[in-house]
Amino acid sequence: MELQGLHGQVVDRIGRSLAADEIRAGEVLRLEDIQERYGVSRTVAREAVRVLESKRVVTSRPRVGITVRPLTEWNLYDPQIIRWRLASPRRESQLRELAELRAAVEPSAAALAASGASPDARAALTAHAHAMAAAARADDRARFVAADAAFHRTLLTASGNGMFAQLAEVTEELLTARHDLALMPPDIDMTAVHRHQKVAAAVASGRPTEAAEAVIRIVNAAHSEVERLLAGGGSCGYGG
């Protein structure tokens, strides 16, 4: 969730500059510079720095200043950092990293869900797949993305693996940011809906291998779709 208030706006503006390499790792900022550049009080500037420190983006030391940390030290699972990187000129790198993360985690999550999810979780997954289908038929992009995000959140949580479950926010940020940043094709392909329905059916009936294979198809299709869009090619659907 994005931060609210004036200090949240400053955090977002600084973060976008950092992700775009307009402010580089190793650079030292002063609180006075932040005040002047963004037209805020010292209190607001200090609070913004505290938030950036919590994300491991900067370190602040007396008589040294505010030092920008290398990207490798940032909290790269932070949804706001993901959004900054997706909005930057180097978004391809973030998209590929997220695709690789999904490919590594979601098939295993699906297999675990098929093996041990509760009846309520299985029913919720099926309901989200139905919601995706209804949104696609209505050509309601916002509702489709919301249902898609809910589907993947439920799948990761239903795995029973707490660490997988905490990646749900990362996946949700990717799906919503793709929509906001126009990294989705103009039309919703029902093939994507059918893939999600197959995952839900496999999980509901306790078929781990089929569930994992169906998720692999979803993840691969989504990654290929983004690659085509970034390359400027045409497209007919949405991978999910």
Side-chain angles (χ1 to χ4, degrees), residues 30-50:
R30 296 185 310 153
L31 209 58
E32 293 78 8
D33 295 334
I34 295 174
Q35 289 178 250
E36 183 178 346
R37 180 170 182 176
Y38 300 104
V40 295
S41 68
R42 190 174 186 84
T43 300
V44 169
R46 187 181 292 113
E47 183 59 29
V49 170
R50 275 199 285 264

Side-chain angles (χ1 to χ4, degrees), residues 2-18 23 29-31 33-52 55 57 66 80 84:
E2 292 189 12
L3 296 163
Q4 302 298 317
L6 188 55
H7 80 274
Q9 295 173 30
V10 174
V11 168
D12 193 58
R13 290 175 66 185
I14 294 174
R16 288 174 181 270
S17 295
L18 289 165
I23 305 173
L29 309 175
R30 296 185 310 153
L31 209 58
D33 295 334
I34 295 174
Q35 289 178 250
E36 183 178 346
R37 180 170 182 176
Y38 300 104
V40 295
S41 68
R42 190 174 186 84
T43 300
V44 169
R46 187 181 292 113
E47 183 59 29
V49 170
R50 275 199 285 264
V51 173
L52 291 168
K55 296 175 184 292
V57 171
I66 303 152
Q80 192 175 26
W84 292 341

Side-chain angles (χ1 to χ4, degrees), residues 9 12 17-18 20 30 36 56 59-60 65 82 89 92 99 105 149 155 158 171 199 201 204 217 221:
Q9 295 173 30
D12 193 58
S17 295
L18 289 165
R30 296 185 310 153
E36 183 178 346
R56 303 203 302 268
T59 58
S60 179
I82 291 170
E92 292 92 338
V105 170
L155 181 67
T171 299
V199 174
R217 287 191 286 273

Side-chain angles (χ1 to χ4, degrees), residues 75-229:
N75 178 10
L76 298 180
Y77 292 98
D78 184 298
Q80 192 175 26
I81 289 178
I82 291 170
R83 182 166 285 266
W84 292 341
R85 296 182 69 197
L86 285 172
S88 77
R90 296 192 300 178
R91 67 177 61 175
E92 292 92 338
S93 175
Q94 173 70 108
L95 285 165
R96 291 189 179 101
E97 287 179 14
L98 287 168
E100 290 164 2
L101 180 64
R102 291 186 70 191
V105 170
E106 286 199 42
S108 295
L112 288 168
S115 298
S118 69
D120 285 349
R122 297 174 198 267
L125 202 63
T126 299
H128 293 318
H130 288 331
M132 289 178 67
R137 287 192 294 269
D139 196 28
D140 188 331
R141 179 62 60 87
R143 190 152 58 97
F144 182 87
V145 171
D148 190 16
F151 180 96
H152 289 279
R153 176 180 287 277
T154 299
L155 181 67
L156 288 163
T157 303
S159 71
N161 183 309
M163 297 186 76
F164 284 1
Q166 289 197 11
L167 290 175
E169 198 170 9
V170 172
T171 299
E172 187 170 353
E173 185 62 37
L174 168 63
L175 295 172
T176 56
R178 279 182 56 191
H179 175 256
D180 295 344
L181 298 170
L183 289 174
M184 289 174 62
D187 301 314
I188 300 173
D189 184 2
M190 286 302 294
T191 302
V193 175
H194 295 152
R195 292 191 186 106
H196 287 74
Q197 291 174 330
K198 286 180 180 178
V199 174
V203 170
S205 56
R207 301 193 303 272
T209 301
E210 288 183 35
E213 290 173 349
V215 167
I216 288 170
R217 287 191 286 273
I218 289 174
V219 173
N220 287 345
H223 183 53
S224 297
E225 186 61 58
V226 170
E227 291 282 0
R228 285 194 294 272
L229 287 167

